[in-house]
C-alpha cells in the first residue's frame, strides 16, 4: 500500500503491523501507547489478519505476549483465536512452526489449544509443509504436538492413561505435560526436554494469569459426529457374512473427550484404518464421517469452506493421532487386539 495515499488511521495500523513483525517489544509498545490500533486488520487489504496472528507467523514471542496481554486486559480474549487466511490460530501456528516460546505465550494466555494440533508442520526458515510422519527430522514439532495432546486430553504424555486409570501429575516446569509416574516421565524426558524449558519461558511473559489456565474439557465443534447407519454399513450383499469382510479382533479406538473414555470407531472406518495399516503403503488414512465417497480424497490447498466430498480427518499411524484438518483439532487413537 502506497504510504502517500494512506489516511492517518491506516498509517497507524500499518506502523503497528511493521512493529509487530520487525520491531522490538519496546517499539511495539510505543506504537500501542500512541494509539495505533492493535486489534484491527489493514483497511482494504485482502487479508483480515490482525497483529496478534502476525506475531505468531513471524515467531516474535515477546511481541505476541504484548498483544495477548492487551487482548486480555481489554476484555477481548476471543482475539487469542484470530485466524489467518487459512483459518489458523496463533497457537496452531506456534505448533506448526515448532516454536515452544510462542506456544507457551498462547497457553498461559488461555488460548484454545484443542485447535492447535496441525496435520502438517512447517520446516524452520522455510515455507515447505511436511506431514507429521517426518517426526524424526522435526523433533521439536513432534514434542510440541505431543505436549499439546497431553495438556488438552489430560492424559499421560508417555502411556496415554487418563485420571481414571492412574494418578496424574503435571510437569512442574511447563505445566502442560501430564505423567502418571516417574517411569513415564523418565521415558519421555529426552523428547519433552526439547520444548519444556522454552514453553515455560514463553508462559512467564504472560502475567495476567497466575498459573497456566486449564483447557475447556472439549471443543464441541472440533470433530464431525459419526453417522451410525452409514459408517457401520459394510455394504454386504444378501447372504454375505460380516466376519468374512470385517475382522472384529483388530479394534481401533479413539479417545472421546466428551466422555473421557476410549470408544470404538464405526465398522467402516475401522475397516479402512486396519486395511491401510496392514498395507503399510501410506503414513495416513483419510476419511469423513458419514461420507464414504470422501475416503482418501483431499484438497491440495485447504480452504475455510471445503467441498463436501473431501476427507476432513487424517489419521497418522506413526503418532496415532486423528486430525480434523479443517478445525485443527486432534484426538488420540489406539489399536487393540481382542481375544
Amino acid at each position: 500500500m502506497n504510504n502517500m495515499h494512506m489516511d492517518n488511521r491506516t498509517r497507524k495500523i500499518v506502523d503497528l503491523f511493521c512493529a509487530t513483525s520487525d520491531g522490538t517489544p519496546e517499539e511495539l509498545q510505543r506504537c500501542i501507547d500512541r494509539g495505533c490500533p492493535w486489534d484491527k486488520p489493514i483497511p482494504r487489504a485482502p487479508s483480515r489478519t490482525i497483529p496478534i496472528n502476525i506475531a505468531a507467523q513471524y515467531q516474535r514471542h515477546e511481541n505476541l505476549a504484548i498483544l495477548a496481554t492487551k487482548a486480555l486486559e481489554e476484555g477481548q480474549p476471543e482475539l487469542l483465536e484470530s485466524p489467518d487466511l487459512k483459518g489458523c490460530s496463533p497457537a496452531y501456528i506456534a505448533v506448526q512452526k515448532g516454536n515452544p516460546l510462542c506456544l507457551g505465550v498462547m497457553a498461559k494466555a488461555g488460548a484454545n489449544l484443542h485447535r492447535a494440533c496441525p496435520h502438517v508442520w512447517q520446516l524452520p526458515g522455510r515455507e515447505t509443509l511436511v506431514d507429521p510422519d517426518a517426526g524424526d527430522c522435526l523433533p521439536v514439532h513432534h514434542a510440541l504436538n505431543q505436549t499439546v495432546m497431553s495438556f488438552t486430553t489430560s492424559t499421560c504424555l508417555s502411556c496415554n492413561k487418563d485420571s481414571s486409570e492412574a494418578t496424574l501429575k503435571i510437569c512442574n516446569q511447563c505445566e502442560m505435560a501430564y505423567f502418571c509416574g516417574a517411569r513415564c516421565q523418565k521415558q519421555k524426558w529426552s523428547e519433552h526436554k526439547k520444548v519444556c524449558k522454552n514453553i515455560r519461558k514463553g508462559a512467564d511473559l504472560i502475567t495476567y494469569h497466575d498459573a497456566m489456565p486449564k483447557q475447556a474439557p472439549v471443543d464441541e465443534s472440533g470433530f464431525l459426529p459419526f453417522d451410525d447407519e452409514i459408517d457401520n454399513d459394510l455394504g454386504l450383499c444378501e447372504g454375505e457374512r460380516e466376519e468374512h469382510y470385517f475382522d472384529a479382533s483388530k479394534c481401533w479406538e479413539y479417545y472421546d473427550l466428551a466422555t473421557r473414555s476410549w470408544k470404538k470407531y464405526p465398522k467402516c472406518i475401522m475397516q479402512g484404518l486396519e486395511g491401510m495399516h496392514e498395507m503399510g503403503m501410506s503414513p495416513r488414512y483419510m476419511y469423513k464421517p458419514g461420507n464414504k465417497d470422501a475416503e482418501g480424497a483431499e484438497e491440495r490447498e485447504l480452504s475455510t469452506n471445503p467441498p463436501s466430498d473431501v476427507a476432513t480427518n487424517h489419521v497418522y499411524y506413526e503418532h496415532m493421532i486423528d486430525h480434523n484438518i479443517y478445525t485443527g483439532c486432534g484426538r488420540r487413537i489406539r489399536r487393540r487386539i481382542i481375544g
Side-chain angles (χ1 to χ4, degrees), residues 63-76:
N63 290 351
L64 182 63
I66 290 173
L67 294 165
T69 298
K70 186 71 173 173
L72 294 171
E73 290 175 345
E74 296 295 326
Q76 299 183 69

Side-chain angles (χ1 to χ4, degrees), residues 172-183:
N172 287 330
Q173 183 162 251
C174 71
E175 296 184 54
M176 286 185 66
Y178 285 93
F179 297 98
C180 66
R183 181 179 177 181

Side-chain angles (χ1 to χ4, degrees), residues 152-217:
T152 56
T153 61
S154 299
T155 55
C156 177
L157 185 68
S158 181
C159 69
N160 297 342
K161 289 181 180 177
D162 63 18
S163 58
S164 69
E165 302 170 292
T167 301
L168 298 175
K169 293 184 178 180
I170 202 161
C171 175
N172 287 330
Q173 183 162 251
C174 71
E175 296 184 54
M176 286 185 66
Y178 285 93
F179 297 98
C180 66
R183 181 179 177 181
C184 278
Q185 188 171 19
K186 184 177 180 181
Q187 186 175 359
K188 275 291 185 177
W189 179 242
S190 62
E191 174 186 306
H192 184 59
K193 71 179 181 181
K194 293 178 173 65
V195 300
C196 184
K197 187 175 181 180
N198 280 333
I199 289 175
R200 180 75 265 159
K201 284 183 178 179
D204 285 344
L205 295 174
I206 299 291
T207 57
Y208 186 86
H209 300 299
D210 293 332
M212 192 74 76
K214 298 294 183 183
Q215 290 288 295

Side-chain angles (χ1 to χ4, degrees), residues 39-53:
D39 57 348
K40 298 290 189 291
I42 297 175
R44 298 182 297 282
S47 170
R48 305 306 292 167
T49 303
I50 66 172
I52 191 170
N53 198 286

